[in-house]
Amino acid sequence: MCGIVGYIGRQPAKKILIDGLRELEYRGYDSAGIAILQDSGFSTFKALGKLINLEKKSTSFETKGFSVGIGHTRWATHGKPTELNAHPHMGENSYVVHNGIIENYQELKNELQSDGVTFISQTDTEVIVHLFEHYLKNALEAFDAFKMMLSRIEGAFAILLVTTTKKNQIFFAKSGSPMILGINSEDEKFFGSSDAALIGKCENVIYLEDGDYGYLDEKDILLYNKDDKRQHLTFTSLPTSKLSAQKEGFRFFMEKEIYEQHDVISDTLIGRLSDEKIIFDELDDNFLDGINDITFSSCGTSYHSALTASYLFERYAKIKTSVEFASEFRYRSPLLNSSTLFVVISQSGETADTLETLKMAKDAGLKTLVICNVDNSSMVRLADYTILARAGIEKGVASTKAFATQVVVLWMLSLYIASKRKSLDTKEIAKEIKILREVPSKTIVNDELHERIHRLSKRYLHGHGFFFIGRDVFFPLALEGALKLKEISYLHAEGYPSGEMKHGPIALADPELFTIALLPKNMLYDKSKSNVEELSARDATICAISPVNFDKADDFIQISNTQHYMLEFFEMMVVVQLLSMEISIRLGNDVDMPRNLAKSVTVE
Ligand code: M6R
């Protein structure tokens, strides 16, 4: 998740920008950059990796007197993490930093290229600065050129732009991505993509609204809204706690991470979907040569993603899969065959057991792929191929958005392989791609749903155990729901295939046994319903999650009526995550740092 800072004033701008970026490190990034404009012109520095690298590169640079500056930390989505792809992006006389996605960038890029503009990065952002300069060349005032540029771009953005044509101004715009403007009594002005970057530097801020844009200099701020009406400036005071600022108004990182799933899933999809094709630039033409089957190896939540994948891969790609707990696999003398593609899945890329199985597979000469959220992690460095999940940094120990993005990647990969193996035709793939595009909207948390889950949660604080049950991909989701609850509530919970309850666990059924029943309309509804009825008949307490009303349930959480089971999967995922979190909060537990657990398990 990228971070943005901006500064206009007379203090040393480099330090202010880099300090601001440091406060945004919690969002995760793989490169950083700053551009500072003084009378003498621009000074720009970019570096891969941590901010210390940027500091080293700019050691000998200092500003004297007035300057304007913009800075950025980049979490690669569009184009690899390289210095060229790092922001700020350069035109002939201007620089831009941007968070979000310019959806129509390809069309704009083609247009500009045919006009003779040369692009040097693979990012969507670069079109912003070239488009601005294109209009500027047509003899428009800088602000008019900025407005013209804004009228052409589509998607989500927070933008800061500086140009030598107006050396004392910063142009800004916000739509869909966060941006805050701050001032202090020394006439300094600041921008940040979160409070955290501004705390300690200014006291009063404006949280820009979607559609807001304008420019500022040392004296004035001109702010317009989406209807192009000049706005009266209404400042609010800035919070003082950095930690709570990093949580961006949420009570816990886990809550923030649940809420941002729709955003990060969009990042996971970006550049990887055309109308009829899945695009993985990370994979080459030889990727599937000689491969007959796939083994997944992982732990915890990542194991549940793998299990979900096995249903999708066999259904769509018609390829045999096996799913292994890495901690078991590494000690059971497994038979390894070079026709097996070995896929490890890991949020951190550092989990000791999973890493060890990757080494075993490599030593045995297997082709390896890692699906990971952390670039340059040990697994990414070791595997033959990497697909990044792009969830942004995940702080809550209980994984949420990493799971969501892993499943999205795996679903896309199953379709990618299906197309290579011709197990689905173009029409069928196009249909799935349409559904994939709907996933972000299905993971938006609405207030009503959250409030309902909050109210329900008070009935689930005791009992002698929880069973999360589901069929097909809803079985791994049931496992994941149970794991979430265990981790942060310390209540006993199991995930079980619905159809297996009658083979033993149903003996536990009584009113103190809580069953969270996943009842999708689009996947084995009648079968699952019968299984839940069997439990209901034995007086188990049932909380059903379904688009279809279910009168045998004690509690019912309704999800929307869709035409595809994977859309139901993602909506239910949000419900089980929120339910676990609300139960944990009511029990007074530390949601983000549950007892006995660590975020990255680097011991066996
Ligand atoms: O970083 P990894 O995905 O390899 O981590 C694997 C597990 O340790 C992890 O998923 C763990 O189960 C989480 N705490 C689940 O919320």
Side-chain angles (χ1 to χ4, degrees):
M1 306 288 278
C2 306
I4 282 190
V5 293
Y7 172 70
I8 195 162
R10 291 171 187 277
Q11 285 191 66
K14 180 185 77 177
K15 183 170 180 329
I16 290 184
L17 293 174
I18 294 182
D19 283 354
L21 292 177
R22 189 161 286 113
E23 298 301 338
L24 299 177
E25 278 190 307
Y26 72 96
R27 298 162 75 93
Y29 66 107
D30 40 51
S31 58
I34 53 173
I36 295 173
L37 179 58
Q38 297 173 277
D39 266 344
S40 49
F42 273 113
S43 306
T44 318
F45 304 92
K46 296 185 187 190
L48 270 184
K50 294 293 163 204
L51 286 171
I52 182 82
N53 301 338
L54 183 65
E55 284 180 311
K56 279 186 191 152
K57 279 197 156 184
S58 56
T59 335
S60 57
F61 171 79
E62 280 311 338
T63 48
K64 285 196 189 75
F66 177 79
S67 67
V68 301
I70 54 177
H72 191 268
T73 43
R74 174 173 187 258
W75 176 280
T77 54
H78 231 106
K80 291 185 187 316
T82 61
E83 265 187 37
L84 273 186
N85 287 336
H87 300 214
H89 286 287
M90 176 182 69
E92 278 175 34
N93 303 302
S94 323
Y95 276 91
V96 70
V97 289
H98 158 231
N99 284 354
I101 299 156
I102 305 300
E103 280 162 7
N104 60 337
Y105 88 101
Q106 194 58 56
E107 175 194 326
L108 296 170
K109 187 169 176 174
N110 295 345
E111 189 182 310
L112 289 159
Q113 278 173 327
S114 64
D115 233 32
V117 176
T118 308
F119 281 74
I120 57 169
S121 78
Q122 299 162 302
T123 65
D124 51 338
T125 301
E126 202 183 337
V127 295
I128 298 173
V129 69
H130 293 310
L131 201 57
F132 165 75
E133 293 197 337
H134 166 81
Y135 289 117
L136 197 58
K137 274 191 194 126
N138 293 345
L140 290 179
E141 272 289 308
F143 188 46
D144 293 326
F146 187 72
K147 284 196 285 189
M148 279 305 291
M149 176 278 293
L150 288 178
S151 71
R152 298 289 315 281
I153 57 174
E154 289 165 18
F157 49 81
I159 293 171
L160 295 181
L161 185 144
V162 282
T163 177
T164 51
T165 323
K166 292 282 178 193
K167 280 190 180 154
N168 57 347
Q169 295 181 353
I170 298 182
F171 297 89
F172 60 88
K174 178 224 181 308
S175 180
S177 301
M179 173 85 88
I180 302 158
L181 188 168
I183 55 164
N184 66 14
S185 48
E186 275 93 62
D187 271 343
E188 291 175 300
K189 301 188 177 65
F190 302 82
F191 287 97
S193 39
S194 136
D195 285 348
L198 304 182
I199 290 172
K201 300 186 180 75
C202 52
E203 301 84 36
N204 295 311
V205 293
I206 299 175
Y207 293 87
L208 297 180
E209 300 287 341
D210 283 344
D212 283 356
Y213 68 95
Y215 66 90
L216 51 76
D217 57 27
E218 234 185 333
K219 293 252 164 315
D220 296 314
I221 300 171
L222 274 83
L223 173 64
Y224 294 83
N225 71 3
K226 60 178 183 336
D227 301 321
D228 302 317
K229 292 222 167 69
R230 175 110 185 245
Q231 296 299 290
H232 175 73
L233 303 176
T234 316
F235 288 93
T236 51
S237 46
L238 192 61
T240 48
S241 153
K242 283 187 183 170
L243 186 66
S244 86
Q246 290 184 351
K247 290 185 194 145
E248 292 170 12
F250 294 99
R251 294 165 292 174
F252 298 95
F253 281 109
M254 182 186 180
E255 187 175 38
K256 170 175 167 282
E257 286 157 7
I258 293 171
Y259 269 74
E260 69 193 17
Q261 289 182 115
H262 69 101
D263 262 347
V264 296
I265 292 173
S266 301
D267 288 347
T268 307
L269 295 176
I270 192 95
R272 289 171 170 165
L273 302 181
S274 75
D275 286 348
E276 305 182 327
K277 233 171 93 182
I278 303 286
I279 303 149
F280 277 120
D281 291 336
E282 302 87 337
L283 309 178
D284 57 32
D285 290 345
N286 309 325
F287 174 59
L288 287 174
D289 288 357
I291 296 299
N292 292 331
D293 55 88
I294 297 179
T295 294
F296 294 103
S297 170
S298 44
C299 301
T301 286
S302 298
Y303 175 83
H304 301 150
S305 306
L307 209 52
T308 311
S310 73
Y311 287 88
L312 300 172
F313 277 61
E314 297 203 349
R315 178 166 300 135
Y316 297 136
K318 304 284 175 234
I319 190 162
K320 195 174 163 340
T321 59
S322 57
V323 184
E324 304 282 350
F325 282 115
S327 53
E328 281 297 304
F329 189 77
R330 61 184 290 194
Y331 292 114
R332 70 167 174 76
S333 316
L335 299 177
L336 297 171
N337 189 320
S338 61
S339 62
T340 299
L341 173 67
F342 196 81
V343 181
V344 289
I345 305 172
S346 174
Q347 187 285 128
S348 61
E350 302 297 345
T351 302
D353 288 323
T354 312
L355 182 60
E356 191 51 39
T357 62
L358 176 61
K359 287 181 188 156
M360 284 164 65
K362 289 242 15 159
D363 291 347
L366 271 64
K367 205 177 270 186
T368 58
L369 164 70
V370 60
I371 292 164
C372 192
N373 194 36
V374 181
D375 201 10
N376 290 317
S377 58
S378 303
M379 287 182 217
V380 168
R381 291 199 305 272
L382 192 63
D384 300 320
Y385 298 92
T386 297
I387 300 179
L388 290 177
R390 303 177 180 168
I393 202 163
E394 191 179 60
K395 282 205 153 190
V397 165
S399 182
T400 51
K401 60 178 183 166
F403 174 72
T405 53
Q406 284 169 352
V407 175
V408 169
V409 165
L410 288 158
W411 180 10
M412 284 194 284
L413 188 60
S414 72
L415 300 174
Y416 177 90
I417 298 178
S419 123
K420 299 280 174 208
R421 290 165 63 89
K422 305 201 183 335
S423 54
L424 291 183
D425 64 26
T426 317
K427 257 184 156 174
E428 289 167 314
I429 293 192
K431 226 169 121 191
E432 289 289 310
I433 289 176
K434 238 176 126 209
I435 304 292
L436 265 163
R437 292 190 198 277
E438 287 183 47
V439 176
S441 66
K442 292 294 163 208
T443 52
I444 293 175
V445 182
N446 73 57
D447 292 349
E448 214 178 301
L449 175 78
H450 196 163
E451 175 55 25
R452 168 138 185 79
I453 293 172
H454 167 72
R455 288 180 65 77
L456 276 183
S457 63
K458 64 173 175 289
R459 295 162 64 158
Y460 294 93
L461 307 178
H462 58 287
H464 61 71
F466 284 76
F467 271 87
F468 286 68
I469 60 171
R471 283 175 174 263
D472 201 274
V473 290
F474 297 88
F475 162 52
L477 183 59
L479 287 170
E480 177 57 10
L483 179 64
K484 287 293 83 82
L485 187 68
K486 273 188 279 224
E487 285 187 291
I488 58 176
S489 73
Y490 319 140
L491 294 169
H492 179 73
E494 280 189 60
Y496 231 74
S498 306
E500 281 295 301
M501 292 300 283
K502 57 184 172 295
H503 296 291
I506 202 165
L508 295 167
D510 68 18
E512 296 298 294
L513 180 79
F514 297 146
T515 303
I516 313 295
L518 308 182
L519 282 175
K521 185 191 77 179
N522 295 297
M523 180 56 73
L524 301 169
Y525 178 74
D526 290 330
K527 304 271 173 221
S528 308
K529 191 170 143 227
S530 310
N531 300 141
V532 183
E533 280 166 354
E534 286 156 13
L535 282 156
S536 167
R538 282 150 188 94
D539 229 5
T541 297
I542 314 280
C543 174
I545 309 172
S546 179
V548 186
N549 216 328
F550 180 59
D551 58 9
K552 300 281 181 341
D554 300 86
D555 286 315
F556 180 65
I557 301 173
Q558 187 146 26
I559 60 160
S560 63
N561 199 0
T562 62
Q563 295 311 313
H564 199 287
Y565 67 98
M566 286 306 286
L567 296 180
E568 297 179 303
F569 178 98
F570 282 102
E571 270 199 59
M572 286 189 192
M573 174 198 77
V574 172
V575 172
V576 295
Q577 293 168 341
L578 287 173
L579 183 64
S580 309
M581 188 190 75
E582 288 299 331
I583 291 175
S584 170
I585 295 172
R586 283 192 188 272
L587 292 172
N589 298 343
D590 185 340
V591 171
D592 286 333
M593 276 186 280
R595 71 184 185 205
N596 307 338
L597 298 177
K599 183 66 189 158
S600 179
V601 186
T602 52
V603 291
E604 61 171 307

